Amino acid sequence: MAGYLVVAEHRQGRLREVTLEMLQAAGRLSRERGGETTALLLGSAVDHMAEELAGYSDRVVYIDDPLLENYTPESYGNAVAETIQQYSPELVMTGYTTQGMDLAPTLAVKLKMPFISDVIGLGYSGDMLQAVRQYYQGKVNARFVFKGNPPYLATIREASFETGSPAKQGRIEKLETTLKESTGLRRFVQFLEAEAGDVDITQSEVLICVGRGLREEKNMPMIEELAAVMNADICGSRAATDAGWLPPDRQVGTSGKAVKPRLYVAIGISGAFQHLAGIKGAKTVVAINK
């Protein structure tokens, strides 16, 4: 097989971090079993992103076409399917994101690919490629073996792998496309940017997170003082943001953001699986009860 193909995801001219995480996972599999890591980039005026991806993969193949400027399931689905058929990878990865969850099932049906979603780990057992998913509210990790013959397809949960550093000098190949004007039922209308907060907790090195156990908003100054001493940013569980102690963009968990700081201090948080899913990438977690 020809290795591992990662479908790069980008937004407003910038690669999304899940793309680099998937390339890190693909690189680990490549070192274990051989084969190349290939990043597939679709879009319009994306040469600069192709150059960036070359630092993380053995090869970058990209299609630059105005019809691919914004994601639509028909145009992206056809372009990715053509590339898979051309390169015959063992495994294709997309992000477990809004775009990836829309694209992957279409590819699985179109190309009859064995498909596992919401994957948090990948590895081999003998000659069998395995994927890890979570069950029972995140308390159990289950290993799955892909049934049938490759290529296989997986959607990867954000913050499940490190992003790594640009240590490669992959070759770049520009592909021609046979795309035509979309006649699908869906079309891109406009991109609406969520209102940006004053802190991007997904990039924070140290986070202090508060939950229902803090009891009252009047206790927040104590947390703010601690954060100042530790040079940390403050975030919260859903209970904290629903109570209005923090703005919604500071929420951590499945209905909030996935974070991966060096240090995560959880204060008065029950540890529900929805919250734990958002801190899987944290290096060190310190939990303080109520």
Side-chain angles (χ1 to χ4, degrees), residues 92-149:
V92 179
M93 286 184 268
T94 72
Y96 187 64
T97 60
T98 302
Q99 176 178 311
M101 286 187 282
D102 186 54
L103 176 64
T106 302
L107 291 173
V109 172
K110 186 181 183 71
L111 300 180
K112 296 180 172 59
M113 300 170 69
F115 170 40
I116 300 177
S117 67
D118 194 16
V119 170
I120 64 169
L122 290 163
Y124 282 92
S125 176
D127 293 330
M128 296 185 298
L129 178 62
Q130 293 185 336
V132 179
R133 298 186 74 228
Q134 290 189 327
Y135 280 92
Y136 301 116
Q137 300 182 343
K139 295 180 176 67
V140 174
N141 286 351
R143 295 186 180 275
F144 286 78
V145 176
F146 288 91
K147 183 178 180 180
N149 297 317

Side-chain angles (χ1 to χ4, degrees), residues 147-180:
K147 183 178 180 180
N149 297 317
Y152 305 125
L153 176 62
T155 53
I156 308 298
R157 185 188 297 182
E158 295 176 272
S160 294
F161 299 93
E162 295 290 328
T163 56
S165 56
K168 296 189 176 185
Q169 294 180 326
R171 60 190 185 278
I172 300 175
E173 303 173 13
K174 187 174 183 179
L175 303 180
E176 298 301 321
T177 178
T178 58
L179 290 175
K180 299 178 181 179

